[in-house]
Amino acid sequence: MCRSRTKVLIVIVMFVLHGCAERNPTEPAAGQTMAQPEVKSTTADGMASEADSANQFKTERITTSLLPNAWRIHPKVISGGLPEGDAAFRELAGLGIKTIISVDGAKPDVSLARAHGLRYVHMPHGYDGISNSRGKELAKAVRDLPGPIYVHCHHGKHRSPTAAAVACIGAGLIATGSGEAFLTHAGTGENYRGLYASAREAIRFENAELDRLAIEFEETVDVSHIAEAMVEIENRFAKLKKLEQLNWDRSAVANLGLDASHEALLLRESYAELIRVLDFANEREGFEDALRSSEIEAKQLEESLTDWEKQSTQLPPDSVRQAFALVAKSCASCHKKYRDVPLSEK
């Protein structure tokens, strides 16, 4: 009898030991939680999200009526174009926006923002990229200012997506290395090499470093005369481009409340004023010649439009289209050679 009991006990012990040997060594015992490995995931749009340094996110196109090219890069941050008019600011408020950051050179419409309970912060930067110091300031802004935050430039395609990416990476809101992908989503032109370099090279700043950074987030800041002039030139050219897209149709131009030849005149005067006040000794070689050529081409467009407006035809002659094509070509050439050159190459 004792021998039988002993045999039974031996069998039971062997069975238990066998079960332990078969168990996955990483499987937790009853009542214990298995340690989870570090996870690095990739969102549907290909942006890596590191669990130890950034929240997982997915870019999202925001459907709006009056906010150009609006994209959400993080739950707290949206990038887009200039809000123009009361209705656009109302739309921002409707999205729950609390703070607007302008990276454009033009002075923000602070009064309209205030009327809708929104705070404006002016942090302009150029098309040539974002300096390390400005990147750190942007990171502190998106970390500390009330959100959601709307970051905008003029068109919302180039500078604001870059600023949003650099800021969110710097504040640890999105993963380092994900900035370029966001620029691609937003439609940033590949020719803006300085902006892509800033997004690609953006780094995360330690919280202690951002805490030590002393900065007053101002509603408006002074920008250089050349920056102001370039904003004016860009605005004038944008209006002329809109008319060109409408084929200069007289009725369409009238409906927009614009005077085509007068817009060309204002463009020419903007070039003339910049040439008059700029100290070319401090500018890159060839910049003065480029501006003077642009002034001449703007004058040719003005004269072509003036001649056509004296006629009764609904659509303009080829001379208008040819003159505008020269103006557009000069703008693109000048931007490529002077404006869009990365900071590292200046």
Side-chain angles (χ1 to χ4, degrees):
M1 184 70 175
C2 290
R3 287 181 179 179
S4 298
R5 289 180 177 176
T6 301
K7 288 180 179 180
V8 171
L9 288 172
I10 291 172
V11 170
I12 292 172
V13 170
M14 290 179 66
F15 179 81
V16 171
L17 290 174
H18 176 73
C20 291
E22 289 293 315
R23 178 184 293 165
N24 187 325
T26 62
E27 182 182 342
Q32 294 181 338
T33 302
M34 182 173 65
Q36 296 295 320
E38 181 182 65
V39 176
K40 291 188 178 182
S41 60
T42 302
T43 61
D45 49 10
M47 295 186 180
S49 175
E50 300 173 1
D52 62 342
S53 65
N55 297 322
Q56 183 174 341
F57 74 102
K58 185 178 186 302
T59 57
E60 175 190 6
R61 183 69 181 264
I62 307 297
T63 302
T64 67
S65 300
L66 300 167
L67 304 174
N69 204 42
W71 284 84
R72 189 186 302 277
I73 186 173
H74 180 270
K76 188 180 180 181
V77 181
I78 295 173
S79 166
L82 176 70
E84 293 188 89
D86 185 76
F89 283 90
R90 188 183 308 116
E91 190 166 34
L92 283 172
L95 288 171
I97 298 298
K98 298 293 187 295
T99 304
I100 307 171
I101 297 177
S102 170
V103 296
D104 192 19
K107 290 189 180 299
D109 195 335
V110 174
S111 59
L112 265 182
R114 288 177 180 171
H116 290 275
L118 307 175
R119 177 182 179 180
Y120 236 129
V121 175
H122 195 196
M123 307 180 75
H125 69 80
Y127 288 90
D128 50 2
I130 300 176
S131 66
N132 182 266
S133 58
R134 176 58 90 202
K136 189 183 299 184
E137 292 166 347
L138 286 165
K140 185 178 179 73
V142 300
R143 189 195 70 167
D144 294 354
L145 294 176
I149 295 172
Y150 184 71
V151 182
H152 79 79
C153 55
H154 188 98
H155 300 292
K157 290 186 66 176
H158 310 301
R159 288 169 295 170
S160 62
T162 307
V166 169
C168 288
I169 290 172
L173 299 182
I174 66 172
T176 302
S178 61
E180 277 189 286
F182 181 65
L183 267 61
T184 301
H185 279 287
T188 305
E190 293 181 358
N191 53 311
Y192 294 96
R193 296 183 294 118
L195 297 180
Y196 271 97
S198 292
R200 181 172 57 252
E201 298 164 7
I203 60 172
R204 180 179 179 180
F205 299 101
E206 296 296 330
N207 280 324
E209 187 176 2
L210 295 180
D211 290 340
R212 290 192 298 270
L213 179 62
I215 178 175
E216 291 187 17
F217 295 114
E218 300 181 60
E219 291 180 321
T220 61
V221 298
D222 292 331
V223 297
S224 68
H225 188 87
I226 188 171
E228 288 183 340
M230 287 303 178
V231 168
E232 179 69 16
I233 289 170
E234 183 177 357
N235 288 339
R236 297 299 173 195
F237 178 76
K239 290 181 179 180
L240 288 165
K241 186 175 182 180
K242 182 178 291 187
L243 300 184
E244 187 266 344
Q245 291 170 340
L246 294 171
N247 201 24
W248 307 97
D249 182 270
R250 287 183 187 271
S251 299
V253 172
N255 288 337
L256 290 175
L258 296 177
D259 182 327
S261 62
H262 186 249
E263 290 299 330
L265 179 150
L266 293 176
L267 176 64
R268 174 174 63 81
E269 290 292 357
S270 296
Y271 282 122
E273 176 68 8
L274 184 57
I275 292 169
R276 186 180 68 81
V277 301
L278 206 58
D279 181 3
F280 288 103
N282 296 322
E283 299 298 332
R284 296 181 66 190
E285 183 179 354
F287 186 50
E288 180 178 5
D289 291 339
L291 286 179
R292 292 191 183 280
S293 294
S294 295
E295 181 191 14
I296 292 171
E297 288 157 358
K299 183 177 181 180
Q300 291 172 344
L301 176 60
E302 176 195 353
E303 291 173 347
S304 296
L305 286 167
T306 300
D307 290 342
W308 167 56
E309 288 170 351
K310 294 175 182 177
Q311 302 170 15
S312 58
T313 57
Q314 185 72 9
L315 298 177
D318 289 341
S319 59
V320 169
R321 298 183 182 88
Q322 292 166 358
F324 178 80
L326 287 174
V327 169
K329 184 178 180 180
S330 288
C331 283
S333 175
C334 189
H335 289 172
K336 182 178 180 180
K337 189 172 182 180
Y338 300 104
R339 188 191 71 174
D340 302 335
V341 177
L343 289 169
S344 60
E345 297 179 19
K346 290 185 175 179

